[in-house]
Amino acid sequence: MAGALTACSGGSGDVTLKLVAADYGDSAANSSQKYWDALGAAFEQEHPGIKVEVDVYNWKVVDAKVKQLVDGGHAPDMAQIGAYSDYAAADKLYPVGNLLDVPTQADFLPQLADAGKVDDVQYGMPFASSTRLLFYNKKLFKDAGITPPTTWAELAADAKALKAHGVRYPYALPLGTEEAQAETMIWMLSGGAAYTDDVGSYAIDSQRNVDTFDFLKDDLVGKGLTGPTPPGKLNRAQAFAAFAKGEVGMLNGHPTLMQMAAGKGIDYGTVQLPGPDGPAKSTMGVADWMMAFKQNGHAKEIGTFLNYVYSEKNVLDFSREYDLLPVTNSASDTMAAAKEDKKLWPFLDQLSNSELYPVGNTSWPSVSADIKKEIGSAVAPNSSPAAVLGRIQNEAAAAESAE
C-alpha cells in the first residue's frame, strides 16, 4: 500500500521531506497511512516551510523498497523499517545527536536507545516496540483441568493434557520462515541464554541453547504436542490465526494477538514465559526503527519533524492505535498510569527486563535470514539440535568476521 501526504504549496524556500514507512494496520481501515496523513497535516500547519511526503508499504516489502531506493541513489530522507545497522555501517545515516533536541533523545527508553547504537553512536531511533508473553486459551485450560505453566515441565504436562482433550495445537511452535528468529530467541531467553554472549559475540550453539532445543525436540515436538503442522512449516500468522479460532492451547505472542483473539471471542490469559525452573528471567523485546539518510542534506528539517513525531502525544497515539508499547519514558509512564491501557500493562511490565535482537551487529540481517531458513530442522525427527545450532553458529561467525 502506498500513498502520499498532500500539502499546500509554499514558497520556493520550502523543503519536502520524503519518508518511507511500514504499515502496521491489517486493513485499509486502519492503515498506517491514516496515522501519517493526520500527523503530517498537523505538522505542516505548524511548520509551513516543511512539507512531508510519506509512502507506506506492507512489512513484507518495505525493507526491500528502501534498499532499492538507497542502492539506486534515491535514498528517502527518512525510513521507518526493521533494521538500520547496515546503513549506519555504510555511513549513510545521520547520528541521532545531529537531529534531535537533547530532551527528545534523552526520552528514549535506555535499552532501546542502546540497541540503536553502532560503535557507541546512536543511529537508529526506536519507533515502536513490543514484548512477548505466553498466551493461553482459558476455556481449553478449564476443560482440561489445568493451570498456566511456570516451568518447562509444567508446560509439557499442560500440553499433554490439552492433547488428551483433542486440542489441535496444544503448544503452537512457529519455526517457519516468517518469524522463526523470534520464537527461537524467546526460547533461548527462557533457557537463560540468547543469540550472543555477554560481550556481544554470537553464541548460538551454547550449551544452554542446545539444552533448550533438546527440550523442544524431545519433550514437545517428539511427543506430538505441537500440532499437525511441523514447526519448521508453521508460520506465526498461521499460529495466531489458529489461536483466534480456538485451535491452540498455548503459544508465545505479542500485543497484536489480544485484538485478534478478542475479535473472535476467545477468552485468553497471559503469563510470563516459563523457564526450566520457574518463570523466565527475561523475555524478548522487539523494536522497529526510524533512521535518517544523509544523502539529501536536510538534517535541520528532519530534526524538526522527528522532534514532533516523538512528542508524548504522538507516540501514545501510535502505540494505542496498534496495541504497541511506547518507546519513550514519558509515554510509557503515561500508559502505565492510564486505565484505558490496562490490557497492555503486562507487556509494559516486561519491557524493562526484555532483550532485543543483536541489531547493532551489522551481520544480524544475514544471520537472521539463516535462522529463518534452518532452525526448523533443529526439532525435526532424527535431527541433532546441537549440529543445526553449530552450523548456524559457524555461518554467523563467518558473517560477523566478514563485516
Side-chain angles (χ1 to χ4, degrees):
M1 183 177 297
L5 294 173
T6 56
C8 300
S9 58
S12 59
D14 283 359
V15 168
T16 298
L17 299 176
K18 295 185 182 295
L19 165 65
V20 176
D23 194 354
Y24 289 81
D26 55 15
S27 67
N30 71 344
S31 166
S32 297
Q33 192 70 53
K34 289 192 170 183
Y35 172 82
W36 288 113
D37 282 351
L39 184 143
F43 171 80
E44 288 173 355
Q45 212 165 13
E46 292 184 25
H47 303 86
I50 307 173
K51 301 178 191 178
V52 184
E53 292 180 358
V54 183
D55 289 315
V56 172
Y57 293 90
N58 184 286
W59 266 112
K60 291 178 182 175
V61 301
V62 68
D63 286 48
K65 179 63 180 176
V66 171
K67 186 176 188 305
Q68 177 189 6
L69 289 169
V70 173
D71 289 351
H74 303 289
D77 295 285
M78 295 162 285
Q80 186 271 299
I81 52 177
Y84 70 88
S85 62
D86 46 349
Y87 297 122
D91 196 30
K92 293 183 182 295
L93 302 181
Y94 284 115
V96 176
N98 290 13
L99 303 168
L100 299 181
D101 294 342
V102 171
T104 303
Q105 188 174 359
D107 198 26
F108 288 128
L109 291 166
Q111 73 271 36
L112 299 183
D114 286 344
K117 293 178 180 177
V118 173
D119 295 332
D120 295 324
V121 178
Q122 186 180 355
Y123 296 93
M125 291 159 274
F127 183 74
S129 68
S130 70
T131 55
R132 301 295 197 263
L133 292 172
L134 183 74
F135 281 70
Y136 66 97
N137 183 309
K138 288 185 176 180
K139 180 181 185 304
L140 297 181
F141 267 59
K142 184 178 179 183
D143 291 348
I146 54 177
T147 55
T150 60
T151 67
W152 287 357
E154 290 173 5
L155 186 147
D158 283 351
K160 185 177 178 182
L162 290 163
K163 183 181 181 183
H165 276 72
V167 175
R168 185 170 169 81
Y169 292 91
Y171 175 83
L173 181 65
L175 294 177
T177 55
E178 179 191 6
E179 209 190 26
Q181 84 286 1
E183 186 74 11
T184 298
M185 184 166 170
I186 291 167
W187 276 99
M188 286 179 170
L189 289 169
S190 74
Y195 283 126
T196 57
D197 59 21
D198 292 341
V199 296
S201 299
Y202 288 111
I204 293 166
D205 62 348
S206 69
Q207 189 56 53
R208 282 188 174 180
N209 287 338
V210 171
D211 291 345
T212 295
F213 272 82
D214 283 341
F215 167 78
L216 291 174
K217 178 178 181 290
D218 298 338
D219 294 69
L220 293 182
V221 181
K223 292 183 178 174
L225 302 179
T226 54
T229 305
K233 303 285 187 188
L234 183 67
N235 282 321
R236 185 197 67 186
Q238 295 167 266
F240 277 20
F243 187 82
K245 286 182 192 169
E247 297 177 345
V248 174
M250 303 172 273
L251 81 171
N252 294 322
H254 53 65
T256 305
L257 184 56
M258 297 188 303
Q259 199 170 18
M260 287 181 65
K264 298 290 188 177
I266 300 296
D267 188 14
Y268 66 88
T270 58
V271 293
Q272 281 181 256
L273 305 176
D277 306 309
K281 293 181 175 58
S282 64
T283 186
M284 187 181 78
V286 173
D288 300 323
W289 301 96
M290 178 75 77
M291 64 214 69
F293 289 90
K294 296 194 290 188
Q295 180 179 322
N296 303 317
H298 295 145
K300 182 180 177 184
E301 293 82 5
I302 292 170
T304 301
F305 179 63
L306 291 179
N307 281 315
Y308 185 85
V309 167
Y310 283 105
S311 71
E312 181 183 333
K313 176 189 181 299
N314 288 328
V315 171
L316 277 171
D317 284 351
F318 185 86
S319 302
R320 286 168 170 162
E321 175 65 28
Y322 297 107
D323 283 335
L324 292 163
L325 303 181
V327 296
T328 61
N329 291 295
S330 57
S332 294
D333 290 346
T334 298
M335 182 174 278
K339 291 211 173 139
E340 68 179 283
D341 298 312
K342 191 172 183 179
K343 64 184 179 177
L344 285 168
W345 287 354
F347 295 91
L348 199 59
D349 288 343
Q350 294 294 307
L351 192 56
S352 60
N353 322 317
S354 65
E355 293 193 34
L356 280 73
Y357 297 129
V359 289
N361 291 9
T362 54
S363 58
W364 172 244
S366 67
V367 173
S368 176
D370 288 338
I371 292 163
K372 289 180 182 182
K373 283 188 295 188
E374 299 183 46
I375 198 67
S377 64
V379 297
N382 304 316
S383 72
S384 162
V388 174
L389 292 173
R391 188 165 67 244
I392 297 172
Q393 169 65 24
N394 290 338
E395 292 164 354
E400 184 67 10
S401 63
E403 293 295 337

